[in-house]
Every structure is written in structure tokens, then in C-alpha cells.
Amino acid sequence: MRYPTTLLLPLLVLAAQPAVAQSGEGRRLIEIGSPDFRPYPIAIPDVRGLGGSAATEAARDITRSLRFDFDVAAQFEVSNPKSYLANPEKEGMTAASINFEDWLSVGADGLLKGVVREEKGSLQVELRFFEVSRAQSFFSKSYTLRSPDQARDTAHRFADELVEALTGAKGIFRTRIAVVRKSKKGRELYVMDLDGQNLQAVTRNGSINLLPSWLPDGTGLVFTSYIRHNPNLYRVGIGGDGLTLLSGERGLNTGGAFSPKANRIALTLSRDGNSEIYTMSPDRTGLTRLTNQWAIDSSPSWSPDGRKLAFVSSRLGDPHIFVMNADGSEVTRMTFRGNYNTTPDWSPRGDLIAFTARDERNVFDIFTVDVNTKTIRRLTQDQGNNEEPSFAPDGQHIVFTSTREGRSQVWVMAVDGSNQRRLTSDGGFVTPAWSPQEVLR
Amino acid sequence: MTKEPVGGIGSRQRARQGFGPLVAGSAALHVALFAAVAIAAGGRSTPPLDLQALPVELVTLGKPRDPKLLPRKVRPPPPAPEPAPAPPSGESGSAAPTKDAVALEIEKKAAEAKKKEEARKAEKPSKQKRRLSAGARRLLEGGGRDDIDDVLERFEEPEGAEDGFVDGTTTDPSASANAYEAHVKAALKRNYELPAHLQARKQFLEAVVVLYIGPDGKILRHEFVQRHANEQFMAALEKLFATLELPPPPKDNARRYREEGLGIRFKP
């Protein structure tokens, strides 16, 4: 049948239209910052404790916690308390009682003050943030504590709220870190607060327990344990309760990771003789194999939308970072530099994947790869071995382990590698995992 | 009266007569559709959603690094601060050293390193050669790793690009700004100013914009991908774009800058 040209012509024109570019590659962005950029300098004088020893103890803990929080946060810089000029005995909590010139003189843009009063068996805490150049209060909160033990958590809560008031993004100071610590008999699982305090054992089985990852609701962990003399995958509550076997296949059952919506678990199994990546439902049904390669495939990490997985594969010879759809399709190589890239962790922002890599000097360091452009950026260098990165829920901080001071400690840094701070002191820590924003306490 | 057979000549004529308006109507509909698409594309109010952050940096001046190797930092991080005394487990420990203490330590060590470097440069070449030979002798005699590192570090050339910049911040050419982007960046930095009263909170101000640049360097239009709630900050940016003069883009990229634009992130 012949079609009239008057009908064909529009079709030809339509076919000639350039396709809408959906390459998935990122657009280049020039970043413009002020030439004199520096972190926001904030002064945190000692919180005053009034009334008794309980108030004094609480005030001390609050001061210490606030200084830690704003020191870790890359956007802030806590000025040295030894440089403060103001007389803490004379200054009060109101703008009228503060000589802001004293704080301008030490270079502070923000001033965070607090007082703890012991009243009728409880502790009344008042914390207030001032903008020094404007000589006015910007944010304040009051809390009632039953005991000084609650002081540290109260400080972190205030820091979270202040950061949210200033930046619009939630703070991370009440999140937690899961970590493995070497013991005499093996390795046990622990969780600790971001400031390295409140270290609590999750496992006490005397066996080897490895590779923790958090449940999306922050109530528990998934981890691998040799308690049955085979590396099986388990789920456990934060308090060590509710230990449940998730996978006990012959061989490896490792690298378990819940999807963001908690409807699937990605894991590495070697049931068929080779290390491959699978997914399954939390009730242990629906086991689906995603990879089918002669090489080792392992260490799955979910994208924040749950549609993709980053993983390690040596299918091209050396271990590199790859990304695939959640059904195993469309495998894409992400790293093209180096020859030993492992332990991927996908940022909650979706833009970066952090990983460990061994460089040409046989040193392990932390890197990030841009998901869209595949550009690799180095975060640590010439500081011992740095490994096993895990993103904070804000996507702006990374926790990792480092041997720069001898024993393996847990460190935290900003996503660009700046502002590196040590969290632990005792040593022997490996495989840290940062909790979700909401975590059971 | 004879009946025309089905499918006869008369029926075909009647079919052609009825089909013509249908074709004309279809053609008109297609034209209208194309026009609507063209108008929508030209008047698109939001930039493409595939705008992603890729900080464009200047490559430092130096010899090219093997592209198969992992990148190295141009300016290594400062040394780790002095470790705080280990508190007993379970108790509140002392906070990590403040940045001021670290900064003072860095300055001190940087000054010492600078003195050593100046002294080394002042040495006669013959003396440097003798030292290298001594290092080589130690290598041959089974010297320790420190000796090897000392020799390598002393004579290792900086990495980067042969056409790099002295003040470049990356050794990775894939993250480098091309020459035009470098000019744009320089022009923006020269003219970007924040009102004095916003300086106190400049760290929290951030906006992302796409500039559509004409062949003569004129900003044809701009579209914000990410705005900030601070209207004074946004007004400062609007003022910047109204008065900014950019160099003409290179001809081979002129169309891209005109049609796809150039992404800019303003952050403190």
C-alpha cells in the first residue's frame, strides 16, 4: 500500500529530531567560593554549673560534647578556649549581658553559651546560640535532666537542632557507629556513639563476628559470625537480643546489606563454589542470584533509592568497583584506576561511592568515585593504612579505620577528606558502619 | 440501473476524495505538534535534571601521572594531631585537639620544611649529585626503606600536567577545568561579592545556577537549579549575572555553552 508523501513528511521530520540526551553523565559544575573561605568559627566557653556537684558534672559533659560535635562538623571551627577574653563569671545568658566585642576579638562568628541549674532534684539546662556580629540570640533551647548521665545526649540533641536551624539539614551527632573490635578469643560486635563514648557490646559469643551493617530503621544489625563454625549471616537487635539466622548456606554468607526500604537483603554467597552476589527477602525466601561470573563478586552496597547495587568484582582480573541494577542487569564498571579497589559504600546522597584502594606504594587509602562521571578523588594519603569507609546519613562525613598512629582506630572526616578526627583510643577496631539518621538508643 | 461492483472504480474515486482531507488534517496536526514541542523546549523553565556536581579544578604544573594509577593529593593533609590520653572505656573521654592547635603545629612544621628546602636549593649541584650517589650506594648496600624514600622524595618531580597551573589543586586531568572554564571561574571570582551583613553566615549559603552563554560571551539567560532561602544572597547573584562580562567561548564549544549552559555552584 502506498502512503501519501504528505503523511510521510512529518514522520521523517520527527525521526530527524535529535534525541533528548539522557546519557546519565553528570554536567560539569564550576564551584565558586569566597576567596577567604574558612569554616564558621564558633566559640564555646565552658557551660556553667550552678547549684551543686551534679550541675557541675553535667555542665562539664555538655561543654565537652558540644566542643566535640562542632569540631567534627566540617562547616564549623571551634576556637581555642584558652584564647577567650570574656569573664565567664560576669557574662550571663542574655545578649545584654554579653560584651560581644570580646568575642569578635577572638575571631568568633558564633557564640554558644549554656548554664545548668540544679533545682528541686532535677537539672535545668539552658543553651543559647548568638550571632556575634549581630549581637543577638539566634537559637535557644531548654531541657530538664533527671541526672547528669543525660547531659551528653542532651548536648548532642541541641547540636543537631542548632545545625538544622543554621543549615536546614539534620545533624548527625546522635547517630551511632557499629564496629568490630578484636578480643582475646576472636572479634566482637560493638556500637558506640559518634563521640566514641558509650561503647556497648552487641555480641559476646567469643567467636569471630564481622562486617556489620545497619537495619534501615536503626534497631539492629546484620553481620557475619562463625558461632556455628561457618561464616553465616545473622540479624541482631542493638542490645544483642533477637539473634536470628538469615543465611546458613554452605560456604560464605557475608556482606549482608538491607535495601533502604528493608524489603530485600543483598549478600555474598559461595554456595555454588564461587563467591557471587544474591538478594533475598528478609524472611529468607526469594533467593535470587545476581552475578554469574568465574571471578569473585562480593561486597554489595545499595544505592539510596534501592534500584542499584555497587559491588566488587575481579571479573577483569583485578578487583574493581562495579554497579548493577538490583536485578543484576546492566553491569557498569566504575573504577578504571588502580588495581585493588574494594569495600564500596554508596553515599545516602547518591552522588558518590567511597571505597578502599591500594595504591602503587602498597598503601591502603580511602577514595570516592563520582557515580555519574566516574572521577576518582583521593581522601587520605601518607597517613598509614586507611580502610573501610562508611558514609554518615547526611552524606557529608565518612567514618573509616586508620593505622596512622599505630593500632587501628576509628576516624571520621568530611566527604572531601578534610577535618579528620579520631573517635576511639583503645585500638583494634575494624569495619565501622555508620547508623541511619534514626537509631534506637 | 446497474449497481457498481464493490471495489469498483467509482468506489476508489470516492475513497480518494474522502482520504485527502484526512491526510491534510493529519499533516496539520503533526505541524502543530512539532511547533508545540519546539516552543516548549525553547521556553523550558527548568534546566536539565541531570545536573550533577563535579567540581572543576585546575591541574597543577608537573609531569603527567600514569593514568592507570590512583590519583594523589597535591597538598597532602596535615599530620595527625597529638593523640589525647586514652580514657578508661565507658567514661567520657577528652575531646580531640582543636583545629587551632593543629594549625599552629602545621605552621611550625611548614616553616621548618621551608628552611630545609631553601638550604637544599642553595646547595651546589655537585653536592646534590654526591648525595644522590651516596643514596644510591646505600641502596646497593641494602639500605633501609627510609633511605630509598629519602632519595626518591628529594628528587621526585611533582605530578600534574605540562600545561598545568602553578596554583593548581589536582593532578587528575579528568577533573580539570578547560581553559575557557578557568577564565569563567576567574571572572566570577573577581566579581562575586557578598553583602557585608551576609558574611557572618556565608558558610551556609549555597546556590547552583546554569548560565547560558552566547558566542560573544554575553550571558543570554540564567536558571537556578538550586536556590537559597536568603533573598539577599539571591539578589547578590542576580546582580552579578546582570553585570558580568565573560570572554567569548571557543568556537568548538560555543553551541554547548549556548544551548546546554555552564553549571556554577556558589558556595562559601
Side-chain angles (χ1 to χ4, degrees):
Chain A
M1 182 179 178
R2 293 179 58 195
Y3 290 92
T5 54
T6 49
L7 186 58
L8 278 174
L9 187 59
L11 290 175
L12 287 173
V13 172
L14 184 64
Q17 291 291 328
V20 174
Q22 292 293 336
S23 63
E25 291 193 355
R27 186 182 301 272
R28 295 162 71 82
L29 256 186
I30 292 178
E31 289 201 351
I32 302 296
S34 298
D36 58 346
F37 166 71
R38 59 192 171 99
Y40 187 89
I42 181 172
I44 307 179
D46 291 344
V47 173
R48 296 184 66 190
L50 304 175
S53 59
T56 303
E57 183 183 347
R60 185 192 65 220
D61 287 347
I62 291 174
T63 303
R64 186 180 294 148
S65 297
L66 288 175
R67 286 177 182 167
F68 170 86
D69 289 347
F70 288 98
D71 195 54
V72 162
Q75 289 174 301
F76 297 87
E77 179 179 20
V78 180
S79 52
N80 191 342
K82 294 180 181 177
S83 67
Y84 297 165
L85 303 174
N87 186 339
E89 298 297 325
K90 290 185 178 178
E91 271 198 357
M93 288 291 292
T94 61
S97 66
I98 296 172
N99 182 6
F100 287 97
E101 283 294 329
D102 285 342
W103 298 106
L104 280 174
S105 299
V106 299
D109 286 354
L111 171 64
L112 207 170
K113 300 199 70 177
V115 62
V116 181
R117 296 185 180 88
E118 199 166 341
E119 293 177 3
K120 298 177 183 177
S122 66
L123 297 172
Q124 302 298 320
V125 178
E126 184 186 354
L127 297 169
R128 192 178 292 261
F129 177 80
F130 300 87
E131 286 187 293
V132 174
S133 60
R134 291 185 163 190
Q136 65 184 32
S137 172
F138 171 79
F139 185 79
S140 66
K141 280 277 187 174
S142 297
Y143 306 90
T144 300
L145 310 183
R146 291 187 297 275
S147 76
D149 294 341
Q150 297 176 307
R152 194 170 56 83
D153 187 66
T154 299
H156 294 322
R157 186 190 305 271
F158 176 80
D160 275 345
E161 293 172 346
L162 176 58
V163 165
E164 187 167 6
L166 281 168
T167 69
K170 289 190 176 182
I172 54 169
F173 307 116
R174 297 187 75 237
T175 56
R176 308 189 81 185
I177 309 290
V179 68
V180 170
R181 189 178 181 185
K182 295 175 185 175
S183 64
K184 288 180 182 177
K185 292 183 180 179
R187 299 189 178 197
E188 301 285 5
L189 210 55
Y190 291 82
V191 290
M192 64 183 186
D193 293 345
L194 176 57
D195 57 6
Q197 304 304 313
N198 196 23
L199 189 70
Q200 296 175 348
V202 178
T203 63
R204 297 179 186 81
N205 51 42
S207 182
I208 296 175
N209 303 279
L210 305 166
L211 302 172
S213 73
W214 287 85
L215 269 61
D217 61 4
T219 59
L221 297 166
V222 172
F223 69 105
T224 295
S225 179
Y226 281 78
I227 50 178
R228 292 187 185 179
H229 307 293
N230 186 69
N232 294 333
L233 194 69
Y234 295 87
R235 170 182 177 161
V236 68
I238 287 300
D241 56 302
L243 183 68
T244 307
L245 178 70
L246 288 176
S247 179
E249 301 280 349
R250 179 172 55 96
L252 291 174
N253 301 265
T254 67
F258 263 82
S259 63
K261 293 184 180 177
N263 56 339
R264 300 290 289 172
I265 302 173
L267 68 161
T268 303
L269 302 176
S270 63
R271 59 200 295 254
D272 297 326
N274 188 39
S275 176
E276 304 287 356
I277 294 175
Y278 295 73
T279 57
M280 68 178 188
S281 297
D283 61 1
R284 302 177 64 184
T285 61
L287 185 69
T288 304
R289 181 169 176 168
L290 302 187
T291 60
N292 192 358
Q293 291 281 324
W294 61 271
I296 294 174
D297 297 307
S298 64
S299 308
S301 174
W302 290 91
S303 63
D305 61 8
R307 292 181 180 177
K308 292 180 183 290
L309 284 160
F311 65 102
V312 179
S313 179
S314 58
R315 59 187 65 190
L316 300 177
D318 297 322
H320 277 280
I321 309 298
F322 290 76
V323 162
M324 62 182 170
N325 289 335
D327 61 2
S329 63
E330 294 187 30
V331 177
T332 306
R333 182 177 175 181
M334 299 302 296
T335 61
F336 294 82
R337 304 176 71 167
N339 57 14
Y340 196 92
N341 301 329
T342 61
T343 72
D345 189 60
W346 209 313
S347 166
R349 287 192 163 195
D351 56 342
L352 299 172
I353 297 171
F355 63 97
T356 306
R358 186 185 63 200
D359 69 6
E360 72 278 12
R361 303 183 185 194
N362 284 333
V363 175
F364 289 92
D365 274 308
I366 309 292
F367 296 77
T368 56
V369 58
D370 186 288
V371 171
N372 286 297
T373 65
K374 301 179 184 175
T375 300
I376 290 177
R377 186 173 189 177
R378 189 172 194 140
L379 305 188
T380 60
Q381 179 175 293
D382 300 334
Q383 298 162 298
N385 285 312
N386 302 277
E387 304 176 70
E388 299 153 342
S390 175
F391 273 98
D394 67 354
Q396 294 295 296
H397 298 83
I398 294 173
V399 71
F400 61 103
T401 56
S402 180
T403 60
R404 62 187 68 183
E405 295 176 359
R407 299 193 69 193
S408 180
Q409 306 283 5
V410 180
W411 285 69
V412 66
M413 62 182 169
V415 70
D416 62 356
S418 63
N419 200 37
Q420 297 181 15
R421 292 286 178 265
R422 177 168 53 82
L423 301 182
T424 58
S425 303
D426 296 337
F429 295 99
V430 294
T431 61
W434 210 313
S435 77
Q437 189 75 47
E438 300 299 326
V439 59
L440 189 67
R441 305 189 68 82
Chain B
M1 185 189 326
T2 59
K3 290 182 181 177
E4 289 187 12
V6 173
I9 294 175
S11 64
R12 285 199 292 274
Q13 284 174 337
R14 280 198 294 277
R16 273 199 290 273
Q17 287 167 0
F19 197 52
L22 187 64
V23 170
S26 174
L29 183 63
H30 278 84
V31 169
L33 184 64
F34 293 148
V37 168
I39 291 170
R44 184 172 53 192
S45 60
T46 53
L49 294 179
D50 62 345
L51 190 68
Q52 299 289 341
L54 167 61
V56 174
E57 302 180 64
L58 295 176
V59 179
T60 189
L61 182 65
K63 68 174 184 180
R65 182 172 170 82
D66 184 345
K68 292 183 183 176
L69 297 179
L70 292 161
R72 284 186 65 79
K73 287 187 169 187
V74 173
R75 296 189 182 86
E82 288 294 322
S89 57
E91 293 185 14
S92 297
S94 57
T98 63
K99 290 180 193 175
D100 276 354
V102 173
L104 284 171
E105 187 64 26
I106 294 166
E107 279 180 17
K108 183 180 167 188
K109 290 193 177 177
E112 289 170 0
K114 191 177 177 184
K115 276 186 188 174
K116 281 186 186 175
E117 184 63 21
E118 284 169 354
R120 185 185 73 78
K121 283 181 181 174
E123 284 180 347
K124 291 180 182 177
S126 56
K127 190 173 179 183
Q128 288 186 10
K129 196 173 177 181
R130 282 199 292 276
R131 183 178 298 163
L132 177 57
S133 298
R137 279 201 293 275
R138 284 197 291 274
L139 280 172
L140 290 172
E141 292 166 6
R145 186 165 178 79
D146 288 343
D147 296 329
I148 298 170
D149 281 347
D150 180 53
V151 170
L152 288 174
E153 188 177 351
R154 189 169 299 161
F155 294 96
E156 190 174 333
E157 293 179 44
E159 292 176 333
E162 293 173 350
D163 57 350
F165 296 80
V166 173
D167 56 351
T169 55
T170 182
T171 61
D172 187 358
S174 67
S176 66
N178 61 36
Y180 182 68
E181 289 165 351
H183 285 301
V184 171
K185 186 166 183 171
L188 285 165
K189 286 176 77 74
R190 278 197 303 271
N191 294 277
Y192 175 44
E193 287 181 354
L194 274 181
H197 65 278
L198 290 182
Q199 294 289 337
R201 264 192 265 168
K202 61 179 181 285
Q203 287 82 356
F204 311 121
L205 303 173
E206 185 171 340
V208 180
V209 65
V210 177
L211 299 182
Y212 296 88
I213 304 169
D216 56 355
K218 188 177 176 183
I219 297 178
L220 301 173
R221 62 189 175 94
H222 63 276
E223 293 177 357
F224 283 100
V225 176
Q226 176 185 327
R227 300 181 66 93
H228 194 275
N230 189 306
E231 289 301 324
Q232 291 162 332
F233 171 53
M234 299 306 298
L237 294 181
E238 294 282 359
K239 181 183 172 185
L240 170 66
F241 302 141
T243 57
L244 187 66
E245 291 181 359
L246 296 175
K251 288 182 182 176
D252 52 352
N253 279 325
R255 184 180 175 186
R256 177 163 66 89
Y257 290 125
R258 183 181 70 246
E259 296 180 2
E260 296 179 17
L262 179 62
I264 312 286
R265 164 175 282 147
F266 288 87
K267 57 183 287 189

